[in-house]
Amino acid sequence: MKNYIKYIGILALGMVACEPEFENPVDEQGAYTNGEADFSNYVALGNSLTAGYADGTLYLSGQQNSYPNILAQQFAKVQETDLFTQPLVADNAGGLLLNGTQLPGYNTRLVLGVDEQLNAAPRNYGGAITTDVSNILSGPFNNMAVPGAKSYELLAPGYGSMEALQMGLANPYFVRFASSPNTSIIADAVAQNPTFFTLWIGNNDVFLYAVSGGTGVDRTGEMDPTQYGRNDITDPQVFAGAYSQLVSSMIEAGAEEGALLNIPDVTTAAFFNTVPNNALELSAEQAAGLTGYFQAVAGIFTQFLMGQQVPAEQAQAIASQYAITFTEGKNRFIIDVPETQTNPLGFRQMTEEELLVLTINQTALRQQGYGSAAISPEVMEVLGILQQGGQPTQEQAQLVLDAVNGIDDKDALDQSEIESISAATTAYNQTISQLAQANGLALVDINDLASRVDSEGIPFDGGVVTSTFATGGLFSLDGVHFTPRGYALVANSIIETVNATYNATVPTVNIGYYGTITPSND
Amino acid sequence: MVFVLAGTITYAGGYRVGVQGQRALAMGHTGVAVVNSAELGFFNPAGLVYLENQLTISAGVSAVFSEVAWQNESTGATARTDNPAGTPFYFNASYKLNENLALGLSIYTPYGSTVEWEDDWAGSHLVNNIKLQAIYIQPLVSYKIADFVSVGGGPIFVTGSVNFNRNLSRTLTNIEGERSNVTIDASGVNEWGWSAGALFTPTEDLRVGVNYRSEIIMNAEGGDADFENIPNTPLAPFSDTTFDAQLPLPAELTVGLSYELNEKWLLAFDFNRTFWGVYESLDIKFANGVVSENPRGYEDANTWRFGAQYIATDKLTLRAGYYLDESPVQPGYFAPETPRNDSMGFTGGLSLNVTSRLAIDASFAYIRFDEVDASYDHYIDENGQNVPFGGTYKSVAFIPGLGVTYKL
């Protein structure tokens, strides 16, 4: 009797230990292969896009959904790997403090707020910023990405120095986790003896120029980056020199396998595709009024030129470009351009390809004649005089000319700016592609991915990812950086390329499990 | 090959737990035609009148150790349940008033389920954890119409509870990135049903039984719905409320026979048909008018049971059995909240007569499930997209149990 009870007890214990086992368990070594790649110590280099930056800042859950972190989790299913570490910020609010005071320009994350009329729009989260740059983390960190970094800045000693930061010469994100004040990003990466790396750099070398509306300078031809301003385009040779030095440093450090990500075409970003250049919506009456106004501008300017002894015919030829006609419905905006001999007033209508930035004052566009003309009652009065064949005074004529309210340079990318951006991007991508080939590294065509998302979208089990602002799924609320779903898409793209390059079988993730934008009224 | 398997695999048992007597379970849970103990109160009350003693009591409890593993080969994602042991129990008493009439009382737990996945696992938009319980309490009458036929039956009072947690979607979180989820909880849900059976004894060695237990629809009304980690926005309008829901405990028809080969050997066979077809959808109606529809599409399912008993000595009786349990779940409806697929049960056990009045009954069941590639294809996400959830499932279950039989 006692024996039986003992047996039953033993049996019961046996059962507790018994677990269901698959014939081919995916969580055991051998389920997938790393091929010729060694993922055991993966180090990621890059900028904000690699850090997991989203919604205008770096916050905790964004970092957790960074593509390097997603990759590391998938690599760990293939091979025994070191723990993947990231320089995590303190909270989900985003923004940065320096010694308790908010760093200017480093605000909280954008969330989708909803007002009483149920209109949804991005706004800054109201939570407190608690990440202080002076709280220096001790690494090393596998994710070495530093938001805001340009290609050559990864090589710059002192880029993480608190002292230099206070002089505006360093990057607060690198100050947070640099191993010493004088180190460089690449030095800290190399010191980790990486076995595998990803490099996605160069975006800021052209993107900051684009996002500034082209207010910077295209520095092509200028070989000294210390001369560059923040919003300038890096010379392609300077980029190539920095980039090849980064790649060879990583390879020499032991990361013989890796993936290089190229630069997406800036014009595919929601930041430039959300406010259309023809959003000047007019009624027939408004169109006629505006056409009349610009005819008056042309007329006044003809008079002015003739007053300057310009022959009548020539004066009319020059001034006629300002007699812009508007029609009922959608019209392209008026944009300010540099004043030249052929365009002495310095404005014109936007062309089809030209772009407006997401951050443009849309209320001004809709209500204050921004992008066309700000016609005050005084201007109306002058127009009335003209209509009756009267002769306005010089002062009154000037009033009419001054009412032209073209879009500022900072709010638009004009054709020559787009050309500069495109030329630099193409040159950078050629360098990236050549270095990938020369070193047997995987080349991840993010440029192609971004254009596919933009043109047709990428289907997944919960719909289609598109580049539409806020709802498309790729872009976070800053219109430039990706959502977790967008970063998961990048991770999958890397995995597919790495698998093909190194005969590996790293499993991809289901991007449907990664969120997009965060609604919140907090 | 995988496709063939996927096509034929079905989910056994739903949330039916066939552990209503150690003696019966040891014989593959046969018993509609086995006159052995007061376990008949559950299996076929018509047989109570044939029990030899004036008072017979059978009571026992089992421990259900049941775990499920899930994996998805294309993403490398895995998950395992961490279920607490279930403890189905039974109490049966039969009192013989005279040769033709017996009265009885049975308490048993034929339906129940506890499944606990890791929170926020890949299928967390379908279920994080669920706990179902139903206790049946049934007074019984057993009457011998003639020497070769008896009938029995009685009303059933059921009291049950449910607690169910899942995430609201695959991605919705609060500002801190914590997944938005809902728990629905209802307890003290009471309903009525009945069961009736008949037992024929055409020859001295052969018995044939039939038993029917009615369907009982558990109506949870005014249960609590508790929403957690909801972002503060009119775009996610979820707040704590109450809910109504219905969960069917389906009817079950059993026919079977037992044959006494000789004084030592008894063979038994039962066929169950469980009318799962009633479980079409789990619809949760929240007080604010929102209805969560979760199609289940169950179909009636059969179980074939075989058992044998060998009286080794005066003191010791040995039993063994086998059953094949078909699933009510159809392809494309494989929801991870009831993760027990098509199974075969291998059972064994013994009775030890401690005294002439008291016996210890022990049983053991090992339930074998095939590995199965399956999916639930009826989840509609927040954008109205139909998002299937699939992968490979593998389950195991072990059920040791102990009971006593007391005769007076």
Side-chain angles (χ1 to χ4, degrees):
Chain A
M1 168 70 200
K2 272 182 186 157
N3 276 340
Y4 290 118
I5 290 174
K6 199 165 78 187
Y7 279 124
I8 288 164
I10 289 166
L11 244 105
L13 282 176
M15 280 152 225
V16 179
C18 271
E19 288 285 327
E21 295 300 337
F22 290 106
E23 279 168 43
N24 298 303
V26 301
D27 52 1
E28 278 179 20
Q29 294 297 324
Y32 304 100
T33 170
N34 54 318
E36 293 120 39
D38 178 1
F39 303 122
S40 57
N41 189 15
Y42 161 44
V43 170
L45 285 171
N47 49 45
S48 49
L49 291 161
T50 301
Y53 194 99
D55 303 312
T57 186
L58 194 63
Y59 57 92
L60 203 53
S61 62
Q63 290 182 291
Q64 281 152 354
N65 288 306
S66 71
Y67 76 82
N69 201 40
I70 297 171
L71 278 182
Q73 288 171 38
Q74 296 305 95
F75 290 161
K77 291 171 177 165
V78 172
Q79 188 187 350
E80 207 146 314
T81 58
D82 296 348
L83 184 70
F84 188 83
T85 53
Q86 303 195 92
L88 296 176
V89 295
D91 56 45
N92 277 298
L96 287 179
L97 303 173
L98 181 56
N99 298 318
T101 312
Q102 190 195 325
L103 267 178
Y106 294 88
N107 206 344
T108 55
R109 69 196 273 191
L110 295 169
V111 289
L112 192 69
V114 177
D115 66 16
E116 273 126 42
Q117 286 81 46
L118 289 178
N119 297 313
R123 57 168 90 156
N124 283 102
Y125 173 60
I129 302 173
T130 60
T131 305
D132 200 307
V133 174
S134 63
N135 177 22
I136 297 185
L137 309 180
S138 56
F141 295 102
N142 293 80
N143 191 344
M144 289 296 301
V146 175
K150 294 186 178 186
S151 57
Y152 52 87
E153 288 173 334
L154 267 57
L155 299 159
Y159 191 57
S161 147
M162 179 65 88
E163 215 173 307
L165 177 68
Q166 271 146 358
M167 295 185 289
L169 296 171
N171 185 314
Y173 284 109
F174 189 43
V175 172
R176 287 185 64 239
F177 69 97
S179 65
S180 71
N182 292 321
T183 190
S184 65
I185 296 171
I186 189 69
D188 277 8
V190 161
Q192 297 182 48
N193 299 316
T195 62
F196 185 88
F197 76 106
T198 58
L199 175 61
W200 193 11
I201 200 72
N203 313 70
N204 289 327
D205 297 67
V206 61
F207 221 89
L208 292 178
Y209 173 87
V211 173
S212 75
T215 54
V217 180
D218 182 356
R219 292 288 188 166
T220 301
E222 169 60 65
M223 303 303 284
D224 179 6
T226 61
Q227 304 299 312
Y228 296 177
R230 221 36 229 151
N231 297 334
D232 292 355
I233 293 179
T234 305
D235 173 81
Q237 284 186 54
V238 170
F239 171 83
Y243 201 94
S244 79
Q245 206 178 323
L246 292 170
V247 170
S248 56
S249 299
M250 291 305 281
I251 292 174
E252 278 162 30
E256 282 170 21
E257 297 91 32
L260 307 182
L261 286 71
N262 69 9
I263 311 300
D265 179 356
V266 76
T267 58
T268 59
F271 191 81
F272 297 106
N273 288 303
T274 301
V275 186
N277 60 17
N278 66 346
L280 181 57
E281 195 118 29
L282 301 172
S283 65
E285 207 179 322
Q286 287 171 320
L290 214 47
T291 303
Y293 164 77
F294 277 97
Q295 263 168 357
V297 169
I300 287 167
F301 196 57
T302 310
Q303 294 279 315
F304 168 80
L305 288 174
M306 283 164 66
Q308 305 275 315
Q309 314 305 325
V310 178
E313 218 166 290
Q314 201 184 334
Q316 272 167 5
I318 292 174
S320 68
Q321 67 181 303
Y322 302 122
I324 299 162
T325 54
F326 294 83
T327 53
E328 187 183 354
K330 288 174 189 243
N331 292 268
R332 283 205 287 275
F333 288 109
I334 304 300
I335 186 177
D336 281 346
V337 292
E339 290 167 15
T340 60
Q341 243 174 356
T342 51
N343 186 351
L345 287 182
F347 74 85
R348 60 172 169 79
Q349 198 165 20
M350 294 182 82
T351 65
E352 199 181 339
E353 298 77 26
E354 289 175 336
L355 301 168
L356 295 176
V357 299
L358 179 65
T359 45
I360 193 169
N361 184 340
Q362 294 190 53
T363 312
L365 286 181
R366 277 193 301 268
Q367 293 166 11
Q368 293 155 24
Y370 185 41
S372 53
I375 301 173
S376 62
E378 291 78 20
V379 174
M380 285 301 289
E381 216 171 288
V382 185
L383 293 178
I385 295 169
L386 283 167
Q387 215 159 30
Q388 287 157 17
Q391 186 66 36
T393 66
Q394 205 172 333
E395 231 165 63
Q396 286 174 320
Q398 192 60 44
L399 213 56
V400 172
L401 294 186
D402 288 348
V404 175
N405 191 9
I407 285 171
D408 300 344
D409 188 21
K410 69 171 172 55
D411 286 336
L413 286 181
D414 67 29
Q415 226 145 10
S416 77
E417 290 165 345
I418 292 172
E419 276 161 26
S420 289
I421 291 164
S422 164
T425 308
T426 306
Y428 298 169
N429 283 347
Q430 266 172 2
T431 298
I432 294 171
S433 158
Q434 281 162 5
L435 285 169
Q437 203 167 14
N439 294 288
L441 299 168
L443 174 67
V444 187
D445 197 346
I446 300 297
N447 189 19
D448 174 64
L449 179 72
S451 84
R452 273 188 294 135
V453 174
D454 192 40
S455 58
E456 68 224 50
I458 297 211
F460 69 107
D461 68 357
V464 178
V465 178
T466 70
S467 57
T468 307
F469 182 63
T471 57
L474 181 68
F475 289 105
S476 71
L477 291 171
D478 60 29
V480 172
H481 297 95
F482 294 166
T483 60
R485 185 168 297 159
Y487 287 126
L489 205 53
V490 170
N492 277 353
S493 195
I494 295 170
I495 289 169
E496 282 157 18
T497 317
V498 164
N499 283 348
T501 308
Y502 299 114
N503 296 312
T505 58
V506 181
T508 54
V509 297
N510 181 342
I511 65 169
Y513 282 98
Y514 293 82
T516 57
I517 58 170
T518 307
S520 174
N521 276 6
D522 288 332
Chain B
M1 187 58 196
V2 168
F3 285 108
V4 173
L5 274 177
T8 56
I9 288 294
T10 43
Y11 223 122
Y15 37 88
R16 171 86 172 88
V17 184
V19 187
Q20 275 71 55
Q22 307 304 1
R23 292 187 175 193
L25 180 59
M27 296 171 65
H29 212 251
T30 57
V32 74
V34 179
V35 176
N36 207 335
S37 73
E39 289 173 12
L40 276 164
F42 168 81
F43 287 89
N44 188 353
L48 291 175
V49 74
Y50 290 103
L51 292 173
E52 284 166 12
N53 302 76
Q54 191 169 31
L55 176 68
T56 311
I57 293 173
S58 294
V61 62
S62 297
V64 179
F65 299 99
S66 154
E67 298 294 349
V68 189
W70 171 90
Q71 68 178 25
N72 183 312
E73 211 177 311
S74 78
T75 62
T78 60
R80 279 174 185 276
T81 58
D82 185 16
N83 300 334
T87 51
F89 63 90
Y90 61 90
F91 172 87
N92 300 287
S94 177
Y95 185 78
K96 208 164 172 177
L97 285 178
N98 58 48
E99 274 308 302
N100 294 324
L101 185 65
L103 298 179
L105 176 71
S106 284
I107 302 170
Y108 48 93
T109 56
Y111 292 97
S113 176
T114 304
V115 180
E116 293 189 5
W117 293 95
E118 302 149 43
D119 277 352
D120 304 336
W121 73 293
S124 60
H125 55 296
L126 299 175
V127 59
N128 273 315
N129 54 69
I130 184 167
K131 185 173 175 134
L132 285 176
Q133 272 186 321
I135 299 171
Y136 280 45
I137 300 167
Q138 183 175 25
L140 294 160
V141 178
S142 180
Y143 180 66
K144 194 192 287 180
I145 300 171
D147 278 348
F148 64 93
V149 58
S150 67
V151 294
I156 299 170
F157 172 76
V158 184
T159 180
S161 65
V162 62
N163 183 291
F164 177 39
N165 173 273
R166 76 171 176 203
N167 291 349
L168 292 185
S169 78
R170 295 194 296 177
T171 56
L172 188 67
T173 69
N174 63 11
I175 194 86
E176 297 296 341
E178 296 160 328
R179 301 279 296 273
S180 306
N181 64 82
V182 61
T183 303
I184 61 170
D185 185 273
S187 56
V189 181
N190 300 328
E191 299 292 341
W192 289 90
W194 57 273
S195 84
L199 188 62
F200 306 90
T201 314
T203 73
E204 218 173 281
D205 309 324
L206 180 70
R207 293 187 198 272
V208 178
V210 55
N211 188 65
Y212 180 81
R213 189 170 304 97
S214 76
E215 165 187 306
I216 298 171
I217 308 286
M218 299 301 283
N219 282 292
E221 283 172 6
D224 294 322
D226 176 27
F227 291 87
E228 294 282 342
N229 300 338
I230 306 299
N232 174 25
T233 169
L235 299 174
F238 303 103
S239 58
D240 293 354
T241 180
T242 60
F243 76 95
D244 296 343
Q246 288 190 338
L247 190 74
L249 306 177
E252 188 174 79
L253 175 70
T254 306
V255 294
L257 51 87
S258 72
Y259 184 71
E260 230 176 299
L261 270 181
N262 52 44
E263 282 188 2
K264 290 199 172 287
W265 282 96
L266 175 82
L267 302 177
F269 166 74
D270 274 21
F271 167 82
N272 305 127
R273 184 160 181 85
T274 308
F275 298 92
W276 282 109
V278 63
Y279 195 25
E280 288 166 1
S281 181
L282 175 61
D283 296 342
I284 301 165
K285 300 182 179 83
F286 293 103
N288 60 9
V290 174
V291 179
S292 162
E293 288 179 16
N294 305 280
R296 289 292 174 261
Y298 277 30
E299 288 186 9
D300 299 349
N302 303 325
T303 310
W304 287 268
R305 302 178 182 278
F306 306 88
Q309 171 177 280
Y310 175 70
I311 300 170
T313 69
D314 284 354
K315 293 262 178 215
L316 182 67
T317 304
L318 300 172
R319 301 187 183 89
Y322 166 83
Y323 64 81
L324 186 66
D325 198 357
E326 261 188 13
S327 165
V329 175
Q330 302 307 303
Y333 285 93
F334 200 97
E337 97 216 354
T338 43
R340 287 183 298 158
N341 58 325
D342 234 13
S343 64
M344 287 187 288
F346 300 91
T347 69
L350 55 88
S351 286
L352 198 65
N353 297 323
V354 183
T355 69
S356 62
R357 288 178 177 168
L358 182 70
I360 304 272
D361 304 320
S363 76
F364 169 71
Y366 163 66
I367 305 179
R368 189 189 134 60
F369 298 83
D370 277 329
E371 187 173 312
V372 55
D373 289 328
S375 68
Y376 182 70
D377 301 341
H378 301 271
Y379 172 76
I380 308 293
D381 78 2
E382 63 280 14
N383 301 318
Q385 289 277 341
N386 186 332
V387 181
F389 176 78
T392 308
Y393 290 86
K394 170 73 176 174
S395 306
V396 292
F398 295 93
I399 310 174
L402 265 184
V404 291
T405 298
Y406 182 75
K407 301 174 195 170
L408 194 68

